């Protein structure tokens, strides 16, 4: 019965935990609860957590040079959230590593146009699209100029126009 006295002492010591910033002897808070397996599983089953797990899996695959697998993971995120800048940028990079520059351009253009106010503020997205235009477009300067004009209309005021590298 040492275990019951041990748990009683833990419970009584937890009852005396003071709130941060509280002063005085009467400042007590309830015992913090640890997440249960069910609540953790429910959190992981949420759509946002599932999408983040797919992004993380894609990043791991990318690091292991499995660009096709990484691309599939990022595409699965973009099917649900086409404006996800992280998934779009990494999917475009995976496209580039699989010699699919036009696919990378398509991914970035779709991300930018599906929700312009959310994605046009991400300078790396714009920069990477400009880089892909330089590598794949027939007339890169014209493509970049069109992008720069569009970005100036939808992006926030603090976006650096130099990110289009014109």
């Amino acid at each position: 019965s040492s275990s019951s006295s041990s748990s009683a002492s833990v419970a009584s010591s937890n009852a005396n935990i003071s709130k941060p910033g509280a002063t005085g002897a009467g400042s007590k808070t309830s015992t913090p609860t640890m997440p249960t397996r069910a609540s953790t599983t429910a959190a992981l089953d949420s759509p946002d957590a599932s999408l983040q797990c797919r992004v993380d899996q894609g990043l791991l695959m990318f690091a292991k040079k499995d660009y096709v697998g990484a691309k599939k993971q990022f595409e699965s995120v973009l099917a649900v959230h086409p404006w996800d800048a992280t998934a779009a940028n990494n999917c475009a990079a995976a496209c580039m590593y699989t010699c699919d520059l036009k696919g990378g351009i398509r991914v970035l253009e779709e991300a930018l146009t599906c929700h312009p106010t959310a994605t046009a503020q991400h300078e790396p997205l714009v920069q990477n699209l400009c880089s892909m235009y330089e590598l794949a477009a027939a007339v890169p300067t014209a493509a970049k100029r069109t992008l720069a004009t569009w970005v100036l209309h939808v992006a926030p005021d603090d976006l650096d126009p130099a990110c289009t590298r014109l």
Side-chain angles (χ1 to χ4, degrees), residues 82-156:
W83 59 86
D84 186 306
T86 301
N89 239 345
N90 286 296
C91 187
C95 285
M96 187 177 74
Y97 277 96
T98 59
C99 300
D100 182 14
L101 284 174
K102 289 184 182 193
I105 289 171
R106 180 191 45 78
V107 166
L108 293 176
E109 286 177 341
E110 286 177 8
L112 284 167
T113 56
C114 77
H115 198 314
T117 55
T119 54
Q121 64 186 337
H122 294 282
E123 288 181 25
L125 228 78
V126 176
Q127 290 171 332
N128 288 342
L129 183 53
C130 287
S131 294
M132 289 194 172
Y133 282 156
E134 290 170 359
L135 294 170
V139 185
T141 306
K144 289 176 11 180
R145 187 167 288 119
T146 301
L147 176 63
T149 302
W150 179 82
V151 166
L152 288 175
H153 286 48
V154 296

Side-chain angles (χ1 to χ4, degrees), residues 17-90:
I17 297 173
S18 295
K19 292 181 182 178
T23 57
S27 304
K28 294 181 182 176
T29 185
S30 62
T31 304
T33 58
M34 295 298 293
T36 64
R37 183 180 183 109
S39 68
T40 302
T41 302
L44 289 175
D45 288 340
S46 76
D48 288 339
S50 173
L51 292 175
Q52 184 59 52
C53 287
R54 288 188 222 162
V55 168
D56 293 345
Q57 185 66 33
L59 292 171
L60 286 171
M61 291 174 151
F62 197 97
K64 293 177 180 179
K65 298 182 182 181
D66 178 5
Y67 305 118
V68 172
K71 181 179 165 186
K72 287 178 184 174
Q73 291 296 321
F74 298 130
E75 286 173 336
S76 72
V77 173
L78 293 170
V80 178
H81 289 159
W83 59 86
D84 186 306
T86 301
N89 239 345
N90 286 296

